[in-house]
Amino acid sequence: MKRTLQLLGAVLTLALCAGAAQAAPKNGFSVNGGLISSSVTTTIVGTGTALDGVSYSYNGSGLSVGFDYQFALNDNLTLNPFLMVSGENISGLGNNVTGNHSILGLQLRYWLGDVFIGGHIGSYSETVTNNNYDLSTNASGGGGGLVAGWESPNGGLYFMGQLGSAKLNHGYTHTRLTDVRLSVGYRWK
């Protein structure tokens, strides 16, 4: 009898948990802001000089701002076109060097209640400026990454972490960018 009551209690608990109301993700516009940390490795190629094969790396840290619009495909999937831009202080390239990294992309999110996990693909771009000499360089390319977070079921506040990697091309260099963004946002539903 005791064993039957325990089994019945376990089944009832599972049924109640499975039947608990969970809000499906909704359509809506959002804005977010947070921190970015980036790491870049660049290799010089194709110059026909002794510089070919020379590599250097630099790091950035700063603030990131993003926008997206969420399209609910069903109760567990959303499609989120997004734009994220950053302003960063760059270390490893001298003094007074700043950078910007942006992503115009598309995320596919899988929802587990109020928590989401997913991936993204996008077009990445980079601008690095040496403010001492008023010189800048640009690079762009494709990439992708992972996203995870929590969002209030009724809209409003959300938290998100995003890891990205891209291969950027600029003339005679091949550049590998890796970035991590931690954001707090607000979604209107």
Side-chain angles (χ1 to χ4, degrees), residues 35-52:
L35 303 174
I36 181 174
S37 176
S38 63
S39 176
V40 179
T41 301
T42 298
T43 304
I44 299 172
V45 295
T47 65
T49 68
L51 292 175
D52 281 349

Side-chain angles (χ1 to χ4, degrees), residues 41-81:
T41 301
T42 298
T43 304
I44 299 172
V45 295
T47 65
T49 68
L51 292 175
D52 281 349
V54 172
S55 292
Y56 57 94
S57 61
Y58 50 96
N59 299 305
S61 61
L63 300 177
S64 177
V65 175
F67 308 92
D68 81 352
Y69 191 89
Q70 182 165 278
F71 296 96
L73 302 177
N74 61 36
D75 288 350
N76 296 100
L77 285 176
T78 59
L79 199 59
N80 295 59

Side-chain angles (χ1 to χ4, degrees), residues 16-32:
L16 288 174
C17 290
Q22 291 183 350
K26 306 262 191 296
N27 296 336
F29 174 77
S30 86
V31 62
N32 63 70

Side-chain angles (χ1 to χ4, degrees), residues 106-143:
L106 185 63
Q107 291 179 348
L108 181 64
R109 297 178 178 177
Y110 180 76
W111 291 79
L112 303 159
D114 302 339
V115 174
F116 61 87
I117 57 172
H120 74 267
I121 57 171
S123 175
Y124 284 69
S125 66
E126 172 188 67
T127 301
V128 175
T129 303
N130 184 324
N131 298 296
N132 292 328
Y133 302 104
D134 198 26
L135 296 172
S136 67
T137 183
N138 300 302
S140 62

Side-chain angles (χ1 to χ4, degrees), residues 145-169:
L146 302 173
V147 63
W150 171 89
E151 186 170 320
S152 172
N154 299 319
L157 188 66
Y158 68 89
F159 300 95
M160 178 176 66
Q162 186 170 315
L163 172 65
S165 179
K167 184 178 179 182
L168 307 177
N169 295 308

